[in-house]
Amino acid sequence: NAGVTQTPKFQVLKTGQSMTLQCAQDMNHEYMSWYRQDPGMGLRLIHYSVGAGITDQGEVPNGYNVSRSTTEDFPLRLLSAAPSQTSVYFCASSYRVGQGTPQYFGPGTRLTVT
Amino acid sequence: AQRVTQPEKLLSVFKGAPVELKCNYSYSGSPELFWYVQYSRQRLQLLLRHISRESIKGFTADLNKGETSFHLKKPFAQEEDSAMYYCALSDYGGSQGNLIFGKGTKLSVKP
């Protein structure tokens, strides 16, 4: 199993550009989520999904869109990048929904918006 | 409101010394607590779950509901323990198991 994979590893965008961060898992996990990691802020939840076709907002959803058309994939779209979105983005998944279960994290995407 | 507090941004100890990373939480229900570790420029990895009551890499953590704490302890720190440690809370019912993270404590173990 590859686990949770993310592409790209690094990305530089200009203000106003759009892009999609890719996340995939091959563990047949129901639950997937996106976090951003900023110095001194820990990890904050952006969006999450409890299954294909179902998504919901986390703590900091503004400026981001998600979709979950398959169990395996959970892309994160930045509609119009802003410098405040410079961060490290982590995708995570867990095998079931409804109870606290360990989440498995991807390697991260380091995004810089100039 | 649900909250996880890690009061120390940085903890520096010498090799062989005991280490305790503090974590306090605020939650009215029945939380599940985790410790995650992130080594330099790597992904987060699960270290401990409170319900497992296990010892991983010599680390232990006990949930104290009276003090709403879940401190991480190791009797003898090793240089390879240097990393960022995050305490996280997950509720069972309300938020589908979403994790709420503390801001993290950077552990530095000096030789």
Side-chain angles (χ1 to χ4, degrees), chain A residues 31 37 97-98 100 103 105-106, chain B residues 32 36 38 43 86 92 98:
Chain A
Y31 177 96
Q37 182 184 41
V97 174
Q103 292 191 25
F105 284 79
Chain B
E32 185 169 1
Y36 282 83
Q38 185 179 29
R43 69 183 73 194
Y86 290 98
Y92 283 112
N98 290 333

Side-chain angles (χ1 to χ4, degrees), chain B residues 81-101:
Chain B
D81 296 328
S82 295
M84 196 76 180
Y85 291 81
Y86 290 98
C87 183
L89 173 156
S90 175
D91 70 52
Y92 283 112
S95 60
Q96 308 291 347
N98 290 333
L99 286 175
I100 300 164
F101 283 89

Side-chain angles (χ1 to χ4, degrees), chain A residues 2-5 10 31 35 37 40-43 45 48 50 90 96-108 110, chain B residues 9 32 34 36 38 41-46 49 51 84 86 90-104:
Chain A
V4 181
T5 59
F10 302 95
Y31 177 96
Y35 294 87
Q37 182 184 41
M41 299 295 292
L43 281 85
L45 182 66
Y48 65 98
V50 299
F90 287 99
R96 63 178 178 175
V97 174
Q99 285 191 341
T101 54
Q103 292 191 25
Y104 298 89
F105 284 79
R110 188 172 294 270
Chain B
K9 286 187 178 180
E32 185 169 1
F34 303 86
Y36 282 83
Q38 185 179 29
R41 297 204 172 240
Q42 294 187 24
R43 69 183 73 194
L44 273 80
Q45 305 171 36
L46 177 67
R49 305 172 60 185
I51 63 171
M84 196 76 180
Y86 290 98
S90 175
D91 70 52
Y92 283 112
S95 60
Q96 308 291 347
N98 290 333
L99 286 175
I100 300 164
F101 283 89
K103 294 184 178 181

Side-chain angles (χ1 to χ4, degrees), chain A residues 53-76:
Chain A
I54 306 169
T55 64
D56 207 345
Q57 296 180 352
E59 180 186 356
V60 289
N62 291 341
Y64 306 96
N65 273 359
V66 292
S67 60
R68 184 96 179 271
S69 56
T70 66
T71 300
E72 293 79 19
D73 300 298
F74 191 44
L76 178 72

Side-chain angles (χ1 to χ4, degrees), chain A residues 86-104:
Chain A
T86 293
S87 187
V88 181
Y89 292 85
F90 287 99
C91 179
S93 72
S94 64
Y95 71 95
R96 63 178 178 175
V97 174
Q99 285 191 341
T101 54
Q103 292 191 25
Y104 298 89

